[in-house]
Amino acid sequence: SWLILLVPLVLVILQLTLFSITSIARRRCDVKISYPLTQRILFVCLSCIYPLVCQHTLRLLHCSAIPGKPESYLVHGPTVKKVTASSDCALGDGQVCYLEEEEQLQCWWGAHLPIGVMSVCVFSIYIVGYPAASFMAMRFYSSRMDKSEERQARWGHFMDDYVLERF
């Protein structure tokens, strides 16, 4: 499960590094360094593994109280209420939660804590941030497609059919 979480983060960092190198070299040294094929391959890989990573990450974050466990209780002020049905857990509500996939693993405690933190990072950077950044980059570069052959080489395969009148 660590590998499924690490692969997209490493690929995103690699893509950002390549993008930064090309931008810095262009601005400071007037050197045209381009990695269009590498960036295209990274983009396709990140897009292909997106559903698998989403499913795996959300499974690692899905915790619930399990009825019948002696530790499954809900604290409301001075009273303690036993959980009688499976319910979703939220952080800070006083409820002991277990991972839905592995009922013996307590959420946000012990072995689940590092993988839970990694899942939250993957969720925020890859699941939410990657589509938003891709959309913004495509909108930004679509207005500049005819100005640079380098941009056409890098982003043209996504923007060739983009015509403003159709959208």
Side-chain angles (χ1 to χ4, degrees), residues 1-29:
S1 56
W2 280 99
L3 185 63
I4 292 176
L5 296 177
L6 281 177
V7 167
L9 289 179
V10 168
L11 291 177
V12 166
I13 289 169
L14 182 61
Q15 182 141 14
L16 289 174
T17 303
L18 289 175
F19 183 74
S20 299
I21 289 171
T22 57
S23 297
I24 291 170
R26 193 177 319 117
R27 287 187 187 131
R28 291 191 179 166
C29 307

Side-chain angles (χ1 to χ4, degrees), residues 11-57:
L11 291 177
V12 166
I13 289 169
L14 182 61
Q15 182 141 14
L16 289 174
T17 303
L18 289 175
F19 183 74
S20 299
I21 289 171
T22 57
S23 297
I24 291 170
R26 193 177 319 117
R27 287 187 187 131
R28 291 191 179 166
C29 307
D30 283 337
V31 177
K32 289 190 176 185
I33 298 174
S34 180
Y35 301 102
L37 180 62
T38 307
Q39 288 181 334
R40 221 177 280 153
I41 290 170
L42 286 172
F43 186 84
V44 169
C45 289
L46 285 168
S47 299
C48 287
I49 63 171
Y50 188 82
L52 174 70
V53 173
C54 287
Q55 179 186 24
H56 190 73
T57 303

Side-chain angles (χ1 to χ4, degrees), residues 70-124:
E71 297 89 11
S72 294
Y73 58 87
L74 185 60
V75 178
H76 284 289
T79 62
V80 175
K81 178 181 152 189
K82 190 110 169 142
V83 176
T84 56
S86 180
S87 62
D88 289 335
C89 296
L91 288 176
D93 66 357
Q95 194 170 14
V96 177
C97 305
Y98 294 90
L99 196 61
E100 190 74 27
E101 291 291 312
E102 293 183 39
E103 295 179 357
Q104 73 276 7
L105 189 61
Q106 186 176 347
C107 287
W108 304 108
W109 192 260
H112 183 260
L113 184 61
I115 203 151
V117 170
M118 183 71 132
S119 297
V120 169
C121 291
V122 168
F123 183 83
S124 60

